Amino acid sequence: MVLDPGHNGGNAAAPEQINQQVPAGRGASKACNTTGTETDAGYPEHAFNWDVTNRIAQVLAERGVRAQLTRGSDEGVGPCVDRRAAIGNQSEVAAVVSVHADGSTSPQAHGFHIAYSDPPLNAAQRGPARELAEAMRDGMRDSGLPISDYLGTDGLAPRDDLAGLNLAERPAVLVECGNMRNPQEAAAFSSEQGRQRYAEAIANGILGYLG
């Protein structure tokens, strides 16, 4: 597995670097990376992504699945979105899962959704990525987490604008765990118990896909 904790803790201090344009697939380009969002209390998405991803890796290791992360700390800058995709493409891995949390402007909006590349650009995106998205949705839903009520349909969100998914040559999805502006989800994201719950739910989705 390749696990991709979105954003990075040093991005905000390096605007020139993260604002550089890089390939985003489908003939488009976009910023190297962004700072991500945060809860109203100031808990940053990059820290949430980093913590949850490491917890996922630990759960997977306990089940005999090795996971590589696209970044080695929460204090650096980047990597750019095209480099993150390349890490997955260069590895002989079964799947790539990118971990994020959303920042909807509506505090009532809540729930997770799973993004995948659509229309597909290669064989990995055509069938396996959709299968991974469905397995991830099922694993998180069956763990008791609510499906998004503001983005996607039944927890699935086909996208054609996400570089990491457009450039993927392995089955790849992006998990938006929920809305950091929603008070209940923000409280869960900010607690160790809550982050462990999300990690176990995402790991369950991965294990369901791997069979």
Side-chain angles (χ1 to χ4, degrees):
M1 286 294 306
V2 164
L3 299 175
D4 175 33
H7 312 292
N8 208 332
N11 284 4
E16 291 186 2
Q17 184 172 340
I18 67 166
N19 289 332
Q20 291 180 357
Q21 296 293 296
V22 300
R26 304 183 193 273
S29 61
K30 67 188 310 178
C32 160
N33 213 277
T34 65
T35 60
T37 188
E38 63 182 15
T39 68
D40 288 341
Y43 180 62
E45 181 195 355
H46 64 79
F48 170 80
N49 298 339
W50 175 247
D51 186 82
V52 169
T53 301
N54 278 276
R55 291 173 185 269
I56 297 168
Q58 180 61 39
V59 174
L60 293 177
E62 293 169 356
R63 307 287 185 87
V65 178
R66 183 175 60 87
Q68 173 189 356
L69 273 60
T70 58
R71 57 184 173 99
S73 76
D74 194 40
E75 300 174 354
V77 177
C80 294
V81 287
D82 60 330
R83 175 58 188 156
R84 292 174 189 248
I87 292 170
N89 294 340
Q90 292 168 3
S91 305
E92 293 295 329
V93 297
V96 180
V97 174
S98 185
V99 178
H100 287 256
D102 200 17
S104 171
T105 56
S106 170
Q108 285 76 40
H110 77 286
F112 74 85
H113 66 274
I114 315 298
Y116 60 94
S117 181
D118 188 74
L121 298 172
N122 54 47
Q125 296 178 15
R126 194 162 294 117
R130 175 63 185 256
E131 294 170 8
L132 174 61
E134 291 176 349
M136 185 66 60
R137 184 269 318 276
D138 294 349
M140 296 182 72
R141 179 196 60 200
D142 293 349
S143 297
L145 296 174
I147 287 175
S148 173
D149 62 1
Y150 66 103
L151 280 174
T153 301
D154 196 24
L156 302 179
R159 298 280 295 269
D160 64 2
D161 61 327
L162 297 177
L165 302 182
N166 287 338
L167 299 172
E169 298 170 4
R170 308 284 182 185
V173 297
L174 185 149
V175 180
E176 291 281 10
C177 291
N179 179 16
M180 297 197 93
R181 301 296 184 178
N182 176 278
Q184 289 74 35
E185 290 189 327
F189 295 158
S190 302
S191 73
E192 288 194 18
Q193 181 179 6
R195 294 193 296 272
Q196 184 65 27
R197 184 185 182 195
Y198 277 95
E200 291 175 357
I202 292 170
N204 286 341
I206 293 169
L207 293 166
Y209 173 75
L210 296 178

